[in-house]
C-alpha cells in the first residue's frame, strides 16, 4: 500500500514561518497507555519517572491514556478468564503515582477498550477518583449532559479542546450510550458524525487548538492501516489539529498533514505502551514520549493563529527488571541511556535485541530520514 515509504519520507518540521510574532505559548507532553497491572504496582515503581521527569513531567499540560479502571471493589491487576478479554484494574496508589499531587500527569483520556471492564459502577468510580484529585479527563461520562459537553481548557491564554474516543469496549455491552465516546474507527468507513459535532462545539467554545485522543487500530502492528490513515485525514479536515492515538501497544510513526484550508496538522497513530508491560512483544519495549509547544501569535500578513512548534520525541525503553527476591524494579529510561549502559538490568535476551530495536524499529520505522532534529537520540 506504500505506507512504509510514505512514513519514511515524512518531514516533521513545524518551524514558525518568517515574520511570525509570538504573543503567548504553552508546553504539552504526551505518552501512551497507562496499564498499571502485573508487576507495575506502587511497590515496584518508586523510580518510575526518574529518567524522563524533566522531559515529560515539566510541561504545562501532561497527557496519557488511562487504560484501566480504578475501583476498590474489583480485584487489582490483570484479571482474565481463558478465552475472554482481560479486565484491568489499577490501584489508587498507582493513580497517585501518575498524578503526583498535580505535578505529574494532569490529563487522562479515559475512552479505551478497558474502560467498561467492570461495568457502570467501575466507570463512574474511575471518574470520581480523577475528579477528587482535580485531574482533567475526557472520553467517558456519567450522564448525557457530560457527553454533550466538550472539555476546553486554557493554558497561558491558549484554549485547548481535549476530545477522546475508543473504537470498542472489548464486546462489553452497555445500554447508556452516553457513558463511552465510542466511534467505530476500525470500520472501513466509520461514522464520524459524533466527532464532527464535538469539533463544532469546541470551535463555538473558542478553542484555539483541537486535540483528539483516538483509541484505534490493531494491536502490535507497527504501521496504521490505510483506512485508519484516511479516517485521521477526515478528522483533521473537519477541524482536529492534533491526533494522539493509542491502542496498538507498540509505537507507530508520526505524520505532518496539510489540510485543504492550509492548516499544518499533526498525527501520531500510536504512542505505544508507557506504564504498561507486554514482555512477549519485543517491539513494545521501545516507545516514545512527545513534547511540543503551542504558540499563539500573528503571521507576517497579520493573521492571528495558533501553531504547533518545537516538536521533540524522546525514545524510551520500558524496563521491568526482576530481582532475585521476586521483586521488580520498573522504570522508564531514555533509550540512548540503555544503549550506552545496557548492563543496567537487562536480561541477556533483552540485551541481544537492542541492535534490532535501534535499527529496525527506531531508525527503520519510527524515525523518518528527514526528521532527525525532532528526535532526542
Amino acid at each position: 500500500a506504500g505506507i512504509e515509504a510514505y512514513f519514511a519520507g515524512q518531514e516533521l518540521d513545524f518551524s514558525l514561518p518568517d515574520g511570525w510574532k509570538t504573543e503567548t505559548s504553552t508546553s504539552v507532553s504526551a505518552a501512551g497507555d497507562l496499564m498499571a497491572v502485573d508487576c507495575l504496582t506502587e511497590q515496584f515503581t518508586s523510580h518510575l519517572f526518574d529518567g524522563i521527569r524533566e522531559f515529560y513531567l515539566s510541561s504545562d499540560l501532561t497527557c496519557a491514556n488511562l487504560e484501566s479502571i480504578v475501583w476498590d471493589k474489583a480485584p487489582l491487576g490483570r484479571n482474565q478468564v481463558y478465552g475472554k478479554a482481560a479486565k484491568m484494574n489499577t490501584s489508587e496508589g498507582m493513580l497517585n503515582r501518575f498524578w503526583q499531587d498535580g505535578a505529574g500527569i494532569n490529563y487522562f483520556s479515559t475512552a479505551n477498550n478497558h474502560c467498561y471492564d467492570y461495568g457502570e459502577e467501575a466507570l463512574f468510580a474511575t471518574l470520581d477518583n480523577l475528579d477528587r484529585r482535580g485531574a482533567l479527563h475526557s472520553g467517558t461520562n456519567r450522564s448525557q449532559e457530560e457527553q454533550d459537553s466538550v472539555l476546553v481548557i486554557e493554558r497561558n491564554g491558549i484554549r485547548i479542546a481535549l476530545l477522546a474516543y475508543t473504537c470498542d469496549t472489548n464486546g462489553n455491552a452497555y445500554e447508556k450510550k452516553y457513558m463511552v465516546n465510542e466511534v467505530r474507527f476500525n470500520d472501513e468507513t466509520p461514522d464520524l458524525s459524533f466527532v464532527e459535532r464535538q469539533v463544532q462545539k469546541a470551535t463555538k467554545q473558542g478553542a484555539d487548538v483541537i486535540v483528539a485522543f483516538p483509541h484505534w487500530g490493531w494491536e502490535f502492528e507497527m504501521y496504521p492501516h490505510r483506512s485508519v490513515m484516511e479516517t485521521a485525514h477526515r478528522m483533521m479536515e473537519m477541524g482536529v489539529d492534533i491526533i494522539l492515538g493509542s491502542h496498538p501497544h507498540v509505537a507507530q510513526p508520526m505524520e505532518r498533514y496539510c489540510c485543504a484550508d492550509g492548516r499544518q496538522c499533526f498525527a501520531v497513530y500510536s504512542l505505544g505502551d508507557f506504564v504498561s508491560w507486554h514482555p512477549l512483544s519485543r517491539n513494545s519495549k521501545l516507545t516514545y514520549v512527545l513534547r511540543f509547544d503551542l504558540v499563539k501569535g500573528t503571521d507576517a500578513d497579520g493573521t492571528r493563529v495558533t501553531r504547533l512548534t518545537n516538536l521533540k520525541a524522546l525514545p524510551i525503553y520500558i524496563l521491568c527488571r526482576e530481582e532475585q527476591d521476586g521483586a521488580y524494579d520498573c522504570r522508564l529510561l531514555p533509550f540512548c541511556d540503555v544503549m550506552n549502559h545496557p548492563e543496567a538490568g537487562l536480561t541477556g535476551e533483552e540485551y541481544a535485541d537492542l541492535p534490532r530495536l535501534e535499527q529496525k524499529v527506531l531508525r527503520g520505522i519510527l524515525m523518518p530520514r528527514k526528521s532527525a532534529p525532532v528526535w532526542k537520540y
Side-chain angles (χ1 to χ4, degrees):
I3 291 175
E4 292 183 18
Y6 176 76
F7 282 109
Q10 278 290 302
E11 285 193 32
L12 299 173
D13 183 7
F14 287 91
S15 299
L16 297 173
D18 292 339
W20 170 267
K21 294 182 179 179
T22 296
E23 297 175 6
T24 186
S25 67
T26 192
S27 56
V28 180
S29 58
D33 296 328
L34 302 171
M35 188 180 284
V37 296
D38 304 321
C39 60
L40 289 159
T41 65
E42 188 180 8
Q43 179 184 3
F44 302 141
T45 55
S46 299
H47 302 286
L48 183 66
F49 294 120
D50 288 2
I52 64 168
R53 183 176 302 278
E54 182 178 354
F55 184 88
Y56 177 58
L57 294 181
S58 63
S59 60
D60 298 317
L61 178 64
T62 304
C63 311
N65 167 52
L66 182 60
E67 193 162 4
S68 171
I69 64 156
V70 183
W71 189 37
D72 59 5
K73 294 183 180 179
L76 290 176
R78 182 192 305 265
N79 304 293
Q80 189 162 16
V81 175
Y82 181 77
K84 296 184 179 181
K87 296 183 176 183
M88 306 294 175
N89 184 21
T90 291
S91 69
E92 288 198 40
M94 279 306 293
L95 184 58
N96 289 335
R97 179 85 70 208
F98 302 150
W99 170 244
Q100 296 186 15
D101 292 326
I105 300 168
N106 49 39
Y107 167 78
F108 298 84
S109 57
T110 58
N112 51 70
N113 56 303
H114 289 288
C115 66
Y116 203 72
D117 276 357
Y118 288 95
E120 177 180 321
E121 187 177 356
L123 185 149
F124 291 173
T126 303
L127 298 180
D128 290 343
N129 272 311
L130 292 170
D131 286 343
R132 278 198 297 272
R133 289 163 175 80
L136 299 167
H137 58 85
S138 61
T140 54
N141 317 281
R142 302 179 189 85
S143 66
Q144 186 65 61
E145 182 181 12
E146 281 191 12
Q147 188 183 52
D148 289 341
S149 65
V150 172
L151 178 62
V152 179
I153 67 168
E154 187 168 316
R155 289 289 186 273
N156 300 337
I158 298 176
R159 292 179 63 78
I160 308 167
L162 302 168
L163 316 179
Y165 313 95
T166 182
C167 63
D168 63 43
T169 57
N170 281 349
N172 293 311
Y174 53 100
E175 293 183 4
K176 300 174 182 177
K177 297 304 180 184
Y178 58 74
M179 289 192 294
V180 182
N181 292 354
E182 184 172 355
V183 178
R184 302 293 295 177
F185 290 119
N186 290 5
D187 292 351
E188 189 172 351
T189 53
D191 178 1
L192 298 181
S193 57
F194 177 60
V195 177
E196 187 169 23
R197 289 195 302 272
Q198 289 213 313
V199 169
Q200 291 171 351
K201 289 178 181 178
T203 302
K204 289 181 180 179
Q205 290 178 222
D208 297 305
V209 176
I210 299 176
V211 185
F213 297 82
H215 204 68
W216 60 5
W218 280 263
E219 291 184 340
F220 307 110
E221 295 197 5
M222 296 303 298
Y223 288 95
H225 285 207
R226 173 65 67 181
S227 62
V228 172
M229 294 172 63
E230 291 171 351
T231 296
H233 297 168
R234 288 173 58 197
M235 291 171 64
M236 290 185 282
E237 292 289 354
M238 67 176 56
V240 172
D241 299 294
I242 299 169
I243 291 176
L244 301 173
S246 60
H247 181 56
H249 294 301
V250 289
Q252 293 179 347
M254 299 178 275
E255 176 185 27
R256 181 167 65 96
Y257 178 78
C258 183
C259 290
D261 62 6
R263 287 180 303 120
Q264 296 294 316
C265 296
F266 176 57
V268 182
Y269 285 92
S270 173
L271 282 160
D273 274 347
F274 186 43
V275 185
S276 181
W277 182 239
H278 289 90
L280 298 183
S281 170
R282 295 185 299 160
N283 290 347
S284 296
K285 295 182 175 80
L286 174 64
T287 185
Y288 61 88
V289 176
L290 288 179
R291 188 182 176 103
F292 54 86
D293 291 334
L294 298 175
V295 295
K296 181 187 286 188
T298 54
D299 285 330
D301 62 1
T303 302
R304 201 158 184 261
V305 68
T306 302
R307 297 182 179 276
L308 180 154
T309 192
N310 295 330
L311 174 66
K312 296 296 179 185
L314 176 68
I316 63 174
Y317 190 88
I318 302 172
L319 178 68
C320 292
R321 179 178 64 195
E322 186 173 5
E323 309 286 4
Q324 291 184 348
D325 60 359
Y328 283 84
D329 179 11
C330 301
R331 57 181 77 202
L332 304 165
L333 301 172
F335 189 61
C336 59
D337 290 354
V338 175
M339 291 299 295
N340 292 331
H341 304 283
E343 71 280 0
L346 273 65
T347 65
E349 182 180 357
E350 289 171 335
Y351 172 77
D353 196 41
L354 288 178
R356 184 194 68 85
L357 284 176
E358 182 185 35
Q359 296 302 319
K360 298 293 187 180
V361 178
L362 180 59
R363 297 187 183 277
I365 297 175
L366 301 178
M367 185 187 294
R369 292 185 294 271
K370 299 177 182 179
S371 74
V374 167
W375 292 85
K376 292 181 67 65
Y377 185 71

